[in-house]
Amino acid sequence: QVQLVESGGGLVQAGGSLRLSCAVSGSIFSIKSMGWFRQAPGKERELVAHIDAGGSTNYADSVKGRFTISRDNAKNTVSLQMNSLKPEDTAVYYCALARGMLLIRPSGYGVEYWGKGTLVTVSS
């Protein structure tokens, strides 16, 4: 019933910007924590940004100061604004929705629903 659909991925040059969006549909009874993960080939999955039900945010050190996560509860969307992109940011980016009142942890614990991912490629 619940689906997460990412959009906005693509090819961008280093130093450029990209904005990812995640649309949530289905039966949701409350505002829940959401996050963005990414995974590059041969690399472990990484939690890059998190936003809880109250709007508090956290970022991985590797993206802090460059990425901004936000949500629009009225539209059931969460976005990731990515600025000053680096080749190291190249990955498939996944939107995630938490279970109940759980927070999302870097390991992925707390996630109930995942999007299918959108590819971001940053060229040097």
Side-chain angles (χ1 to χ4, degrees):
Q1 292 184 351
V2 175
Q3 292 186 338
L4 281 62
V5 180
E6 303 98 335
S7 62
L11 175 64
V12 65
Q13 291 185 334
S17 297
L18 210 58
R19 185 176 179 88
L20 306 182
S21 294
C22 174
V24 182
S25 62
S27 298
I28 301 176
F29 298 102
S30 63
I31 304 300
K32 301 176 181 180
S33 292
M34 297 190 70
W36 286 95
F37 289 80
R38 67 185 181 188
Q39 188 164 28
K43 301 289 186 179
E44 295 292 326
R45 184 180 61 200
E46 177 186 22
L47 175 62
V48 299
H50 173 270
I51 184 166
D52 70 14
S56 296
T57 59
N58 286 286
Y59 300 91
D61 288 340
S62 59
V63 307
K64 196 170 298 182
R66 300 188 297 119
F67 290 12
T68 302
I69 187 171
S70 61
R71 67 192 305 162
D72 186 335
N73 294 331
K75 296 181 179 180
N76 288 329
T77 60
V78 62
S79 298
L80 186 69
Q81 179 66 45
M82 305 184 294
N83 298 328
S84 302
L85 283 162
K86 305 174 181 179
E88 307 93 272
D89 296 318
T90 295
V92 176
Y93 284 71
Y94 299 91
C95 181
L97 176 65
R99 178 186 298 274
M101 298 180 65
L102 297 177
L103 299 179
I104 295 172
R105 301 182 183 180
S107 65
Y109 178 82
V111 175
E112 183 172 17
Y113 299 101
W114 294 89
K116 293 182 179 180
T118 185
L119 177 62
V120 172
T121 303
V122 184
S123 62
S124 60

